[in-house]
Amino acid sequence: MTDAIIDVIIPVWNRPDETRNCLVNLINHTPNARLIIVDCGSERDTERMLQEFADGLEERALLMRDDSNIGFVRAVNRGFDSSKAPFLALVRNTSIVTARWLDPLLQFAEQHPEAGILLPCLDPGDPCEGPCEVESGSFAAMVIRRELYREIGGLDEHLDGGAWCLKDFTRRACAKGYFTVQVPGPAVHHQEEVPLGSELRRQETLQRSMTAFRDRWGEGGSFLLHVPKGVEVELLRQKLDLLVQGARHGDSYTVLLPHALSQAARQSGLCCLHENVKLVPLPRLSWDGMKRRLYEKLIGERPGTMPVTAVDGMPFPWSERYLSFSELTERIRGRVH
């Protein structure tokens, strides 16, 4: 099927019942797609079932098989390497797609060429309020633009098959000017994967991956900004655009807003720019003690967070030690470049 809009890669290692459900829903709800099934040495019942599906789908399926379990990440890369379509998708064999799940992702990609990795809403998962940039993808389901894959290649097989591998992939995409976006739409149902192997070995792999990631990309900071009364929405937008650049490179920002400005920001669509830029309204009442307690609570939740005054020349109200917005700007630009 050479005219497929998208190739969907499904790595499989046993779990025949879940795999069957996954494939049936993909066939029903993913028209104009080719399924690339990568069988990692499954047992005979799963192998037979996959062969039946591939035979029935003819050109709409490509079945690849290894005699042993080569590992999830290597299987994904093998599937990616066999793809020829304008878009690549990864779906775990324990995920269940729903009707028209791809439509909003491909529509968003058409309108936003900078969106290199697109994520559906997941169930269970946090609610999708609107298109929002995120720090990393999800192995449950993700869509990748072919141009991005050509530029950065596949997943790093030396990292863990989880969070750090995904963060590295999205950071490499960001370095080439592509961003990772979760797009509202029909949810993909997924299961948490059961960890395999010894706990000691998993922890060693996790620590090694964490160290390798930080050596490669550095470590992000945590900042809490105070925005005073009188700041207009357009100026806030300019400041948030800068924070998004920092968030793409690993920083996290909490922005304290006067109540009226917080409402205006929500109405202007500024509340979901990046998952690591969170807008928090200050209490409507003007009691300083209430606001201070909110500040102390937020600082306590993330030790090491640095206060920042969002307007140069104005002091931070609850800390003598803080950065000016100009100092934060210089730090962000240094990380980006």
Side-chain angles (χ1 to χ4, degrees):
M1 188 174 181
T2 56
D3 59 346
I5 295 173
I6 188 166
D7 287 332
V8 182
I9 289 84
I10 312 103
V12 177
W13 186 60
N14 297 320
R15 306 187 75 161
D17 293 337
E18 293 96 330
T19 301
R20 182 185 296 276
N21 289 338
C22 173
L23 294 176
V24 167
N25 281 275
L26 280 169
I27 292 166
N28 291 336
H29 300 315
T30 317
N32 299 321
R34 181 178 65 151
L35 306 187
I36 299 178
I37 305 167
V38 186
D39 181 12
C40 302
S42 295
E43 295 176 359
R44 183 60 183 155
D45 55 345
T46 304
E47 180 185 1
R48 266 197 310 268
M49 181 266 292
L50 295 178
Q51 190 63 59
E52 290 172 2
F53 266 95
D55 291 344
L57 291 171
E58 297 180 341
E59 291 185 354
R60 197 181 165 190
L62 170 64
L63 176 59
M64 309 170 69
R65 177 172 172 79
D66 283 282
D67 292 332
S68 61
N69 187 357
I70 61 175
F72 181 81
V73 172
R74 288 183 63 192
V76 171
N77 284 342
R78 190 175 177 206
F80 282 169
D81 195 49
S82 300
S83 171
K84 305 298 181 187
F87 291 92
L88 301 71
L90 167 63
V91 174
R92 272 198 183 274
N93 65 327
T94 53
S95 296
I96 302 295
V97 303
T98 52
R100 307 184 71 84
W101 74 283
L102 264 182
D103 291 357
L105 303 179
L106 296 181
Q107 289 169 7
F108 189 90
E110 183 178 352
Q111 297 164 3
H112 300 84
E114 74 281 4
I117 303 171
L118 301 110
L119 308 174
C121 297
L122 297 178
D123 181 22
D126 294 331
C128 297
E129 296 185 3
C132 186
E133 286 191 41
V134 297
E135 186 176 11
S136 66
S138 171
F139 284 140
M142 59 194 298
V143 172
I144 301 166
R145 192 183 294 272
R146 168 151 296 283
E147 291 91 333
L148 169 61
Y149 178 72
R150 287 199 191 103
E151 290 200 46
I152 71 171
L155 303 167
D156 189 333
E157 297 176 9
H158 297 97
L159 300 179
D160 69 325
W164 295 102
C165 181
L166 284 167
K167 285 183 180 182
D168 177 76
F169 189 68
T170 55
R171 193 68 68 85
R172 285 158 52 206
C174 184
K176 293 294 185 179
Y178 293 97
F179 309 128
T180 303
V181 185
Q182 186 174 55
V183 181
V188 173
H189 304 283
H190 73 109
Q191 303 176 24
E192 292 297 329
E193 293 299 309
V194 177
L196 301 175
S198 73
E199 175 67 20
L200 177 59
R201 186 170 182 179
R202 288 200 304 272
Q203 288 301 319
E204 290 174 346
T205 301
L206 181 64
Q207 188 62 47
R208 185 178 68 251
S209 299
M210 188 186 309
T211 301
F213 177 89
R214 289 173 175 166
D215 287 346
R216 186 176 296 172
W217 301 109
E219 190 164 3
S222 176
F223 302 90
L224 192 152
L225 286 79
H226 174 257
V227 180
K229 289 183 178 180
V231 171
E232 300 292 334
V233 170
E234 189 52 43
L235 177 58
L236 176 64
R237 184 189 302 274
Q238 295 172 19
K239 292 179 180 294
L240 293 179
D241 285 343
L242 180 68
L243 300 187
V244 168
Q245 293 183 41
R248 290 169 181 161
H249 291 79
D251 287 345
S252 296
Y253 305 94
T254 301
V255 184
L256 294 174
L257 299 175
H259 195 271
L261 182 57
S262 175
Q263 290 182 316
R266 181 171 292 278
Q267 293 170 358
S268 300
L270 299 180
C271 289
C272 199
L273 299 178
H274 194 288
E275 67 173 345
N276 287 340
V277 180
K278 300 185 184 301
L279 307 189
V280 177
L282 287 163
R284 187 192 298 252
L285 298 176
S286 59
W287 299 343
D288 186 69
M290 295 177 63
K291 297 177 181 179
R292 177 184 291 274
R293 284 194 291 273
L294 174 60
Y295 159 77
E296 291 173 348
K297 175 178 178 290
L298 293 171
I299 287 289
E301 289 174 350
R302 299 197 67 167
T305 296
M306 174 60 70
V308 180
T309 178
V311 176
D312 286 359
M314 298 194 68
F316 193 92
W318 308 294
S319 176
E320 295 181 357
R321 178 174 172 265
Y322 59 87
L323 296 178
S324 68
F325 195 79
S326 293
E327 290 172 320
L328 179 63
T329 299
E330 289 300 314
R331 183 189 186 281
I332 292 173
R333 289 174 176 167
R335 284 182 61 78
V336 171
H337 302 295

